Amino acid sequence: MNTAAAEIFYRETVPEVVEGRPPILLLHGFPSSSHQYSGLMRRLGREFHMIAPDYPGFGQSHDVSPPGAFAYSFENISRTIEEFIDKLSLERFVLYVFDFGAPVGFRIAARRRDLIAGVIIQNANAYEAGLSDAARRLVSIPRHDEAGLKELDGLLTLEGTKFQYFTGVADPESISPDGTPWISSIWICPVGRRT
C-alpha cells in the first residue's frame, strides 16, 4: 500500500464470517514488525478481521522519500499509518497497541476518535511515569551529546537488538526464531534514515 512516505507492507486476515465485528488494527513494538502478530493472527484470524502494518523503515515496508526527508518521530509515523488507514477505507476499528505502537496509535486515536471502536493495550506506556529508569535516561539524551547518541545507535545494532530480546530470558531456546528479530534490526532504521 503506497503512502506519501512509504510503501507500507501489511499482514491481513479475512474471517469467514465477520458478523458486525470491527477489524482489529495491530500496531507493533520496537524493534519489531508486523511479524510479531503472526501467531495471534493464525489463532484468531478465522474469527476476526486483523490488519498489522509495518511502519516506515520497519519490517518489509520501504521508504519512498529521499534519504533524510522523512523524520522518524511518533508524530510522522502516526500520520503515515493514518494515511494507510484511510487508503484501506477503515471507518471503525479496534486499536491494538504494543510497546512502540502506543505513542503511534494514541496519536491517531486523539486525532480521529470516530475511528476507534475499542482499544487493547499490551505493555505500552502512555506517560513518563511508566518508563523504567534506563528508558527515562535514554529518552533524555540531548541531540548534541555524542556519547549518548552513540549509546542510542547501539540499540539499532545486531548486538543491541539481541540484548533487547534475550536479556532476562531464563530459557533463550523459548524465543521463536521465526521472526528473526535480529535481522529485522537491519530493517528498522536504514542507513541515512536516522534523525
Side-chain angles (χ1 to χ4, degrees):
M1 169 81 54
N2 287 324
T3 66
E7 181 182 320
I8 301 294
F9 171 85
Y10 66 101
R11 300 166 198 279
E12 183 174 25
T13 63
V14 181
E16 296 165 8
V17 179
V18 176
E19 294 186 23
R21 292 180 180 161
I24 302 171
L25 180 69
L26 304 143
L27 298 181
H28 65 80
F30 176 88
S32 195
S33 69
S34 63
H35 186 275
Q36 83 174 59
Y37 292 118
S38 59
L40 180 67
M41 294 175 87
R42 266 193 311 277
R43 288 179 184 89
L44 300 178
R46 290 185 180 168
E47 298 176 50
F48 296 94
H49 180 194
M50 304 171 87
I51 303 161
D54 289 347
Y55 309 133
F58 287 70
Q60 296 181 60
S61 287
H62 301 286
D63 294 355
V64 294
S65 56
F70 184 81
Y72 284 87
S73 66
F74 292 125
E75 182 65 24
N76 289 340
I77 293 170
S78 74
R79 296 269 181 203
T80 300
I81 296 303
E82 188 174 354
E83 182 182 351
F84 167 81
I85 290 165
D86 290 340
K87 287 193 171 216
L88 285 179
S89 300
L90 294 178
E91 295 177 1
R92 205 148 160 75
F93 56 85
V94 172
L95 180 64
Y96 185 119
V97 295
F98 173 80
D99 184 56
F100 192 92
V104 173
F106 293 162
R107 280 169 170 77
I108 295 166
R111 285 192 300 267
R112 306 276 299 276
R113 294 178 186 172
D114 57 307
L115 294 175
I116 310 302
V119 180
I120 300 168
I121 303 168
Q122 179 185 352
N123 195 31
N125 291 322
Y127 47 88
E128 288 185 22
L131 297 175
S132 69
D133 289 340
R136 195 173 290 118
R137 186 181 63 71
L138 289 172
V139 299
S140 68
I141 293 173
R143 288 184 176 264
H144 64 276
D145 180 348
E146 292 297 323
L149 295 175
K150 186 174 181 179
E151 183 180 358
L152 288 172
D153 279 347
L155 294 174
L156 301 174
T157 64
L158 175 62
E159 288 308 312
T161 304
K162 283 183 178 180
F163 175 83
Q164 291 179 63
Y165 273 82
F166 289 99
T167 300
V169 175
D171 179 14
E173 296 296 316
S174 68
I175 295 177
S176 172
D178 291 345
T180 56
W182 40 93
I183 299 298
S184 70
S185 71
I186 296 165
W187 300 339
I188 288 168
C189 204
V191 175
R193 299 290 187 178
R194 295 184 189 161
T195 59

